[in-house]
Amino acid sequence: MDSIDIKKQLLKWENNKNHILLDSFSNAMIRDQMYRSGKNADWDEVLKQDKKNTNLLKWTFENYGYPSIYKIGFGKDKNNQIVMNALFLHMAESTEYPLLKQNLYKYVKSGDCPPEIYASMIDRYESRNNNKLIFGEYRLFMDDTYLDSVKINANRKSIGLPSLKHKDKLIKDHYKFKNLLK
């Protein structure tokens, strides 16, 4: 494949994106972050916006399936990136969590949803409810010594994620490579 073929394929992908979903999820990302950041976060407003995003996700699942980058791309521009992981992390507090969990699992199994997104949402939910992590993907405030790595690695493998040790190595290698490019 030469550069002309690549440009043609990129143009074809760009023209085939679902612009209704692109606009909807670009707005969802704005809603997701609008009241959440900083010391003046308005948590009542956050919950209202999360409910809107939950409804968008349910509607999208029913009408289009999983909103992958193949359907919507990465966002309208550099200032408005669509970060599905962030959106789904915040769905861990949704009253519709069980339905979202069920749908995401289906999309992980079909290959439409990256397993990291599903695992992060599940682990955030478990963390918020003071339960043990299932996949070890949401370890922000966790001490790894309390993780049952054998069970977690089996759970990770079941959805196509590498072991915790392998993932940590990938992360370290990523940052080493990133620093080499500077």
Side-chain angles (χ1 to χ4, degrees):
M1 192 176 235
D2 62 17
S3 63
I4 294 172
D5 289 334
I6 291 172
K7 286 179 184 177
K8 285 179 185 176
Q9 289 298 321
L10 285 172
L11 185 60
K12 181 179 175 185
W13 172 61
E14 186 66 38
N15 291 333
N16 287 331
K17 286 192 292 188
N18 185 318
H19 291 281
I20 292 170
L21 289 180
L22 173 59
D23 289 344
S24 297
F25 279 93
S26 294
N27 290 332
M29 285 309 304
I30 293 168
R31 276 195 306 268
D32 183 67
Q33 297 297 311
M34 190 180 312
Y35 299 100
R36 193 170 243 113
S37 56
K39 58 185 174 185
N40 297 322
D42 181 347
W43 294 105
D44 290 333
E45 194 59 42
V46 165
L47 292 175
K48 287 180 194 173
Q49 301 308 318
D50 283 353
K51 179 70 175 158
K52 290 178 186 176
N53 288 345
T54 299
N55 289 335
L56 171 63
L57 286 165
K58 285 173 35 184
W59 174 83
T60 303
F61 290 160
E62 291 169 13
N63 294 287
Y64 296 98
Y66 181 77
S68 68
I69 61 169
Y70 303 107
K71 293 177 186 166
I72 61 174
F74 298 102
K76 287 184 175 182
D77 55 48
K78 289 181 182 180
N79 297 322
N80 189 2
Q81 296 290 302
I82 297 172
V83 183
M84 284 299 176
N85 203 18
L87 199 61
F88 280 106
L89 274 177
H90 299 142
M91 295 297 106
E93 288 90 23
S94 171
T95 57
E96 301 284 344
Y97 170 80
L99 177 68
L100 295 170
K101 176 183 172 183
Q102 178 184 358
N103 276 300
L104 271 190
Y105 182 74
K106 178 177 75 173
Y107 294 124
V108 166
K109 286 302 184 182
S110 72
D112 292 327
C113 175
E116 295 84 1
I117 291 176
Y118 173 76
S120 294
M121 184 182 80
I122 302 302
D123 279 351
R124 179 164 172 149
Y125 176 84
E126 297 301 331
S127 173
R128 295 289 224 180
N129 290 291
N130 298 314
N131 297 326
K132 290 183 179 180
L133 299 182
I134 310 282
F135 298 102
E137 213 36 42
Y138 187 74
R139 295 184 280 169
L140 292 176
F141 306 108
M142 302 294 288
D143 182 353
D144 284 358
T145 58
Y146 296 105
L147 297 176
D148 180 350
S149 61
V150 172
K151 191 173 185 179
I152 285 175
N153 284 333
N155 292 337
R156 291 175 68 81
K157 184 177 181 179
S158 75
I159 61 168
L161 290 174
S163 70
L164 290 171
K165 192 179 252 186
H166 188 88
K167 179 191 170 155
D168 290 343
K169 177 151 180 30
L170 290 171
I171 291 169
K172 285 178 187 172
D173 288 349
H174 168 77
Y175 285 109
K176 279 183 192 175
F177 182 73
K178 194 173 179 182
N179 288 330
L180 287 173
L181 295 177
K182 288 182 180 181

